[in-house]
Amino acid sequence: MQKKGHLLWNILGVLTVIVCLSVFVLHFKNWTKTDATGMRVVSGFYLQKVPFSALDSVDLVEKIPPMVRLNGFSAFQKEKGVFREFKDSLTDKKVYVYIDNLENQKIKIVHHDSLKLFINLKDSTETQQLFDLLSSKLPVEPN
């Protein structure tokens, strides 16, 4: 009977390590996918879909503004999660942050009139390519 108790704890320990490693791998980088209609960003438990038709603005910024983290994490050069701009009487909007490298430029995307998303990828050239793609998808304003 004593051996079965040890076997149960061993299996539980191995399963815990596997789950922890899986979560680490899922959050390790931003997984982006673009198609003809829009962009999808997945990082662990966080998912954002941004249709190209809903893009309002796309900018490159050096730093993200100070915000309050609602959930998410910061580790090493990564910052991921759902944040809120400092609350005032006018705004109480959620901001989605998918930063793989805090030192590199970030893409600030405003979509659906006021939703904000900050993203960058580990490689700055990939971030620049994503910025160029998103910029080309902005709707052309009539004169």
Side-chain angles (χ1 to χ4, degrees):
M1 195 65 156
Q2 191 73 316
K3 278 199 168 239
K4 288 185 181 183
H6 291 297
L7 180 64
L8 175 66
W9 286 113
N10 288 340
I11 291 172
L12 189 59
V14 169
L15 287 176
T16 301
V17 169
I18 290 171
V19 167
C20 290
L21 286 174
S22 299
V23 169
F24 174 75
V25 168
L26 289 174
H27 283 89
F28 183 69
K29 68 177 240 173
N30 294 325
W31 308 89
T32 59
K33 181 180 181 184
T34 56
D35 59 20
T37 61
M39 175 181 81
R40 191 174 103 163
V41 182
V42 178
S43 183
F45 303 116
Y46 304 105
L47 167 69
Q48 272 293 297
K49 294 179 183 177
V50 181
F52 293 140
S53 61
L55 285 175
D56 294 318
S57 68
V58 178
D59 295 312
L60 278 176
V61 295
E62 289 296 322
K63 293 184 176 184
I64 59 176
M67 296 180 281
V68 176
R69 181 183 306 125
L70 299 176
N71 62 50
F73 69 94
S74 298
F76 306 108
Q77 290 295 317
K78 298 182 185 311
E79 184 93 40
K80 303 201 180 182
V82 180
F83 291 70
R84 184 182 68 219
E85 293 179 305
F86 282 122
K87 191 173 184 178
D88 61 18
S89 60
L90 299 174
T91 62
D92 190 18
K93 303 278 186 198
K94 291 182 180 176
V95 178
Y96 299 91
V97 176
Y98 300 93
I99 305 295
D100 272 346
N101 189 337
L102 280 169
E103 292 180 0
N104 292 345
Q105 287 187 316
K106 295 103 184 125
I107 301 171
K108 176 185 175 186
I109 302 169
V110 179
H111 61 99
H112 291 98
D113 292 329
S114 62
L115 294 176
K116 292 181 186 170
L117 183 145
F118 289 92
I119 184 172
N120 80 353
L121 306 172
K122 189 110 178 132
D123 183 13
S124 61
T125 56
E126 289 179 16
T127 301
Q128 184 64 47
Q129 290 171 348
L130 180 61
F131 173 75
D132 293 341
L133 172 73
L134 293 171
S135 296
S136 71
K137 301 295 184 178
L138 280 171
V140 178
E141 295 181 18
N143 290 335

